[in-house]
Amino acid sequence: MLSVQNLHKSYKVGNEKYEVLKGVSLEVQKGEFVGVMGPSGSGKSTLLNCISCYIPSDSGKIELGDTNLATLDEESMAHVRNEKLGFVFQDFLLLDGLTIRDNIMLPRIIGEKISTSMEKSANLLCDLFGISHIKNKYPADVSGGEKQRTAVARALINNPELILADEPTGNLDSKSAQAVIDAFLRAKNELSATIFMVTHDSFAASFCDRVVILKDGNVRKTLVRGNQERRTFQDALLDAIRELSEVKGE
Ligand SMILES: Nc1ncnc2c1ncn2[C@@H]1O[C@H](COP(=O)(O)OP(=O)(O)OP(=O)(O)O)[C@@H](O)[C@H]1O
Ligand SMILES: [Mg+2]
């Protein structure tokens, strides 16, 4: 469903060129919840931004279904972003002047006129994520966890093929983080959503089906949860990260 092959990306700063992604390859299957971990500066956000079509990559392939995202023109890119991808960011990015319900409907409002089916979908998502009671409130008047669940609902309103999330629990206390992860799991289990989540948080990552660990511009390890207990998987993730950072310290 998502296939990244031999992806390269460098940034130019002055006359220097920094290679951040050095041939990253990975796959995400439909309905999978995949995490990306790795040290700060390892290129996690860069990878996500390339898949999001926010920044161009230097070479390699990014295929979403039959579409190669790496070679799209601007119009097609905008279409893919609005119709096929859903986004959740660390700082929510809700619009303060819109109610929670209108924020959720925003991607649909951009594409078409307000319809009753749109309101119906927004109501269903609010029920699913336990935010129906705050539908008519404004972002300033709800908690961080509620804001992020709103952002997850917004990401799902167009039934995207893939949800991309960069540190969705990064600004949240552990209880709110749990509520957001629950929202992702509900999206996966009840709406067959496919989720690709960058995170520093081994707790959040331990709910994933699979976690890819990036380091020095490459995928260094992939851990599969299988039927492990969540806690056992979290320990395995922590061990893998410790192991990779020890190599660096040599
Ligand atoms: N626009 C840019 N111009 C130049 N260098 C950049 C740019 N964006 C990121 N970088 C550099 O590329 C490297 C990877 O950055 P990236 O944001 O992808 O890392 P990350 O793994 O998401 O880190 P973090 O965990 O801190 O969010 C870093 O060294 C960063 O300084
Ligand atoms: Mg980042």
Side-chain angles (χ1 to χ4, degrees):
M1 118 115 246
L2 172 73
S3 165
V4 175
Q5 292 157 43
N6 203 19
L7 192 72
H8 287 259
K9 171 70 189 172
S10 49
Y11 292 112
K12 243 181 150 177
V13 182
N15 290 327
E16 300 280 337
K17 203 170 131 187
Y18 295 97
E19 213 180 357
V20 177
L21 303 179
K22 305 174 185 170
V24 170
S25 298
L26 56 86
E27 309 246 329
V28 179
Q29 305 304 327
K30 188 166 169 33
E32 238 190 334
F33 184 10
V34 173
V36 179
M37 299 189 80
S40 183
S42 57
K44 302 181 297 296
S45 296
T46 301
L47 171 63
L48 206 83
N49 289 336
C50 287
I51 298 171
S52 310
C53 312
Y54 278 123
I55 55 172
S57 46
D58 299 342
S59 63
K61 269 191 183 166
I62 307 169
E63 288 174 334
L64 183 66
D66 298 332
T67 316
N68 185 357
L69 304 186
T71 57
L72 290 181
D73 60 39
E74 224 157 90
E75 198 182 321
S76 321
M77 240 180 236
H79 176 77
V80 166
R81 270 206 293 261
N82 198 40
E83 303 286 322
K84 297 195 174 188
L85 300 173
F87 301 98
V88 181
F89 302 95
Q90 179 167 0
D91 36 16
F92 323 127
L93 295 187
L94 300 178
L95 295 184
D96 293 335
L98 296 183
T99 61
I100 293 300
R101 193 192 46 217
D102 289 350
N103 264 288
I104 294 172
M105 293 196 302
L106 195 60
R108 288 276 278 271
I109 294 170
I110 290 168
E112 55 180 288
K113 288 211 171 85
I114 296 178
S115 64
T116 45
S117 82
M118 187 191 298
E119 298 214 14
K120 228 178 176 171
S121 311
N123 287 339
L124 279 174
L125 289 166
C126 284
D127 285 346
L128 189 62
F129 299 148
I131 48 175
S132 293
H133 60 295
I134 56 159
K135 265 192 308 223
N136 296 318
K137 287 191 173 185
Y138 289 87
D141 304 324
V142 308
S143 73
E146 288 167 343
K147 280 188 195 133
Q148 198 59 304
R149 278 181 277 159
T150 303
V152 178
R154 179 187 56 188
L156 282 159
I157 191 91
N158 272 339
N159 284 322
E161 290 181 24
L162 177 67
I163 300 242
L164 297 166
D166 197 352
E167 306 278 3
T169 60
N171 275 336
L172 302 175
D173 61 59
S174 60
K175 199 172 152 228
S176 301
Q178 173 81 64
V180 171
I181 293 296
D182 285 345
F184 279 137
L185 292 174
R186 282 190 167 219
K188 173 185 138 77
N189 294 330
E190 293 176 41
L191 306 171
S192 308
T194 309
I195 305 154
F196 190 69
M197 173 180 76
V198 165
T199 185
H200 271 117
D201 178 2
S202 63
F203 175 75
S206 67
F207 291 90
C208 291
D209 301 312
R210 198 151 55 83
V211 175
V212 170
I213 302 182
L214 280 191
K215 202 192 154 196
D216 300 332
N218 259 309
V219 173
R220 293 294 289 274
K221 213 164 191 176
T222 300
L223 286 93
V224 177
R225 177 163 170 194
N227 42 25
Q228 291 176 82
E229 290 287 331
R230 188 204 64 76
R231 210 167 249 286
T232 315
F233 189 44
Q234 186 177 5
D235 288 342
L237 291 170
L238 287 169
D239 283 347
I241 286 162
R242 207 171 298 127
E243 206 178 287
L244 287 176
S245 55
E246 274 162 14
V247 175
K248 191 185 174 190
E250 272 175 4

